[in-house]
Amino acid sequence: MTLAPQQPTHRDDQEDRDTPPRTDCVADFAGGLTFDIADLGVSGPAHLVLVDRDGDQEVRLPLTPAGGGRLRAALPSSVAVPEGFWDVYLQVADGEPQRLAPGVNDLRSLVDRAPTPSADRIVVRIPYGTKHGNLTVRSWERSPHAEAGELHIGDGELEVTVRAYGAGPTPDAYVELTDQNGVLPAVRTGLTANDERGGLRFTVSYGDLRPGHWDLWLRPQGETGPRVRIARLLDDIVDKHPVFVYPKSRAESEHGPVEGEPYYTAHNDLSVTVVAAG
């Protein structure tokens, strides 16, 4: 017995129209993205549009046939996409932009990504699905950049490896810790070479810090050079705050015992929180 295919109801048609098209994304090593969506058979020029969630900027990418009933748009790393969250839309001709949904994200090229030491601009774009099921791209563009590497928790201290891009360290280089509230004076710590490729290492002693939240900055050329936020960007994890969780470590300070703990902020910058220990 052969069953006839069920005819779509009016409700099915409405659901099809309301369902955002799914978009597959492929990331490349340099920071570029390729977007593929199904060819919906619409007439008129089609564009994939990235809209800055926090402003009025947009980036328009033409969609062209890619074979197999697919349309493709390319976002090279050379195209500026300022740091922030960019929501992704499909727009056909002068029609109303339609939100896109995430499909398959191929981010393998971002795992253990290590640009050449001579790179002076770091570009990171990570596509992901929001809690509402929409496609968004998180973008970072930093020049210079200080990439956090391994974090080692010691007795009352934190040891961090870091690599500088776009600003080679000089003998005057140091790391600066600043109070997020701008009330407490900054604290400095020295740097040592970590490998032959220009890697650096430094130690944060929790006993040197007053209770509070402290941001970590690399000063690769001392007081007269750039102030570079230390962050972990070169991988495929869009939000490291809930993923990388580190233990607390107790230390004695001139203000009494404290506990310190490193963490990544919502922007994947490296910070340290210090609290008075009971």
Side-chain angles (χ1 to χ4, degrees):
M1 178 178 179
T2 303
L3 297 177
Q6 183 177 358
Q7 295 299 316
T9 65
H10 173 74
R11 181 179 177 182
D12 293 329
D13 291 340
Q14 184 63 41
E15 288 178 351
D16 288 342
R17 286 195 294 270
D18 292 342
T19 301
R22 294 199 172 274
T23 308
D24 297 335
C25 299
V26 179
D28 65 41
F29 182 84
L33 288 176
T34 301
F35 302 87
D36 275 17
I37 66 173
D39 188 343
L40 304 178
V42 294
S43 59
H47 287 82
L48 186 139
V49 185
L50 282 70
V51 179
D52 178 18
R53 185 183 297 172
D54 299 322
D56 56 0
Q57 303 180 81
E58 66 176 40
V59 176
R60 298 179 64 83
L61 307 171
L63 282 159
T64 57
R70 308 285 287 175
L71 296 176
R72 179 169 297 165
L75 175 63
S77 60
S78 57
V79 173
V81 182
E83 185 163 328
F85 295 87
W86 294 77
D87 297 330
V88 186
Y89 293 82
L90 168 67
Q91 185 174 25
V92 179
D94 296 327
E96 190 71 19
Q98 180 183 5
R99 203 72 165 85
L100 292 173
V104 176
N105 287 337
D106 185 351
L107 308 180
R108 290 173 293 178
S109 64
L110 303 183
V111 179
D112 297 327
R113 181 182 171 201
T116 61
S118 60
D120 60 359
R121 174 174 173 262
I122 297 300
V123 176
V124 179
R125 285 106 180 232
I126 303 179
Y128 71 97
T130 70
K131 63 181 180 181
H132 300 296
N134 296 317
L135 177 63
T136 292
V137 174
R138 181 65 167 98
S139 174
W140 290 267
E141 293 190 5
R142 296 193 178 181
S143 178
H145 170 57
E147 177 72 8
E150 295 181 353
L151 274 59
H152 298 282
I153 310 300
D155 185 11
E157 64 182 26
L158 167 70
E159 185 179 86
V160 182
T161 61
V162 64
R163 190 174 300 280
Y165 296 96
T170 68
D172 297 326
Y174 62 90
V175 167
E176 184 176 70
L177 291 88
T178 60
D179 171 31
Q180 287 184 3
N181 293 323
V183 176
L184 302 174
V187 176
R188 293 186 182 184
T189 185
L191 286 158
T192 58
N194 188 55
D195 59 39
E196 296 179 352
R197 299 183 66 246
L200 303 168
R201 182 175 65 248
F202 64 91
T203 300
V204 175
S205 297
Y206 296 136
D208 294 340
L209 303 175
R210 298 281 295 272
H213 293 277
W214 297 84
D215 294 336
L216 278 65
W217 303 81
L218 177 65
R219 302 298 299 265
Q221 296 161 9
E223 293 182 352
T224 60
R227 191 164 170 260
V228 187
R229 191 70 166 91
I230 298 175
R232 183 165 180 170
L233 306 180
L234 298 175
D235 57 29
D236 61 339
I237 302 174
V238 69
D239 183 5
K240 296 175 180 59
H241 181 71
V243 176
F244 292 91
V245 180
Y246 299 94
K248 298 180 175 67
S249 182
R250 188 183 179 103
E252 295 296 328
S253 76
E254 61 181 24
H255 308 288
V258 296
E259 283 187 335
E261 178 185 10
Y263 69 96
Y264 287 101
T265 70
H267 301 294
N268 291 349
D269 297 322
L270 180 60
S271 294
V272 167
T273 184
V274 176
V275 299

